[in-house]
Amino acid sequence: MNLKGKTAIVTGGNSGIGLAIVLELARQGANIVIDYLVHPEATEELEEQVRALGNCVIGVRADVSKVSELQSLFAQAVEAFDHVDIMVNNAGVETRTSILDTTEEQYDRVLAINLKSAFFGTQLAAQQMIKQGGGGRIINISSVHEDWPMPGNTAYCLSKGGMRMLTRTAGVELAPHGILVVGVGPGAVSTPINSVTMSDEALLKRLDASIPLGRVAKPEEIANLVAFLASDGASYLTATTVFADGGIMQSSPGL
Ligand code: BGC
């Protein structure tokens, strides 16, 4: 697995799964564009870590829920590295609200950050990859909840369901250009998005017990999969989602 000479953009790249993806792609030799919205100091620290691995890196503050800022993210990436080979649409939020109490503002925010950003991130990445030639990889960080309801997190599930069809449809449309589009569906991962569950011992115990592997994932365990999907070894995967969920979607009490 060697990504030497490739350039990867990771949206929401300075925390959680995004941060682990940045480090793993860098370990595999890629130059990195870290997109972030808040916590510039965390981005700077991460940039240092990427440089220490011998790679080139830039941090770009861009709100990927806005097309104009995504355009500026790509412009800065191309200016710094000339090409974009790997696009990781990772930025995401959730509100933990049900269909009964989700506000219009919450709905718009979740759909814009999770789905609109991935849609236009895919569009801009594909336009750039077609222009430069040679294909590319677009990896959408979705969730088990693209397929599996999470009561009390309706807008989030809706956005991930949208990502599911984005991956499938864009994968088919872009296949003739050698651009592979793959979704990654993590289960429960120890990241800031999950902080409420992670910091409550009783809730975490319940969650662990519902996972056949008996524990939530470390962000690195998702990042390893992303690095594989970005590599030559994953040359026949497109328009589908690979789940890394410890078996949670298939779990059954056997009763
Ligand atoms: C959600 C988490 C949830 C996990 C497993 C993730 O996509 O962001 O809140 O715990 O799925 O259900």
Side-chain angles (χ1 to χ4, degrees):
M1 208 150 59
N2 192 325
L3 303 176
K4 206 134 210 83
K6 308 267 189 207
T7 302
I9 299 179
V10 182
T11 70
N14 73 351
S15 85
I17 294 174
L19 184 151
I21 293 171
V22 163
L23 287 175
E24 189 51 37
L25 294 180
R27 254 179 232 118
Q28 300 302 329
N31 295 320
I32 310 283
V33 179
I34 307 170
D35 157 74
Y36 71 99
L37 188 55
V38 287
H39 301 306
E41 68 297 340
T43 310
E44 277 163 31
E45 204 185 307
L46 186 55
E47 284 175 42
E48 282 308 312
Q49 289 178 264
V50 172
R51 269 186 217 109
L53 289 165
N55 303 61
C56 298
V57 59
I58 57 168
V60 177
R61 191 190 171 284
D63 176 350
V64 290
S65 69
K66 300 197 172 81
V67 177
S68 59
E69 297 200 23
L70 264 173
Q71 283 166 337
S72 146
L73 172 65
F74 271 83
Q76 291 179 64
V78 173
E79 196 188 316
F81 298 115
D82 285 326
H83 51 95
V84 175
D85 310 288
I86 301 158
M87 175 66 181
V88 185
N89 290 308
N90 165 76
V93 292
E94 63 185 25
T95 54
R96 295 279 180 116
T97 51
S98 86
I99 188 70
L100 294 173
D101 55 23
T102 301
T103 64
E104 180 180 3
E105 197 191 4
Q106 287 173 321
Y107 175 99
D108 285 343
R109 179 165 175 266
V110 171
L111 270 288
I113 295 175
N114 298 6
L115 184 57
K116 183 181 170 194
S117 74
F119 183 95
F120 288 102
T122 297
Q123 181 184 77
L124 288 164
Q127 286 170 345
Q128 174 61 31
M129 288 166 184
I130 289 168
K131 191 163 140 199
Q132 68 203 21
R137 300 288 165 92
I138 298 173
I139 300 167
N140 292 324
I141 307 304
S142 174
S143 164
V144 287
H145 300 299
E146 71 167 42
D147 223 8
W148 190 52
M150 180 170 179
N153 213 2
T154 319
Y156 180 78
C157 291
L158 179 59
S159 71
K160 297 301 184 180
M163 277 183 113
R164 173 187 167 84
M165 285 312 293
L166 169 65
T167 296
R168 279 151 183 71
T169 313
V172 173
E173 282 190 6
L174 298 172
H177 300 283
I179 299 169
L180 310 188
V181 187
V182 184
V184 167
V189 187
S190 173
T191 68
I193 208 173
N194 247 339
S195 57
V196 174
T197 312
M198 293 300 143
S199 55
D200 181 321
E201 218 177 298
L203 282 182
L204 184 55
K205 232 173 139 184
R206 251 179 72 201
L207 178 57
D208 283 346
S210 72
I211 302 169
L213 286 184
R215 62 174 179 83
V216 302
K218 297 188 216 85
E220 295 75 24
E221 294 178 288
I222 309 304
N224 290 339
L225 172 58
V226 173
F228 168 68
L229 292 173
S231 76
D232 287 346
S235 51
Y236 204 61
L237 275 155
T238 198
T240 191
T241 304
V242 182
F243 293 101
D245 71 345
I248 194 173
M249 288 168 86
Q250 318 302 328
S251 120
S252 157
L255 296 169

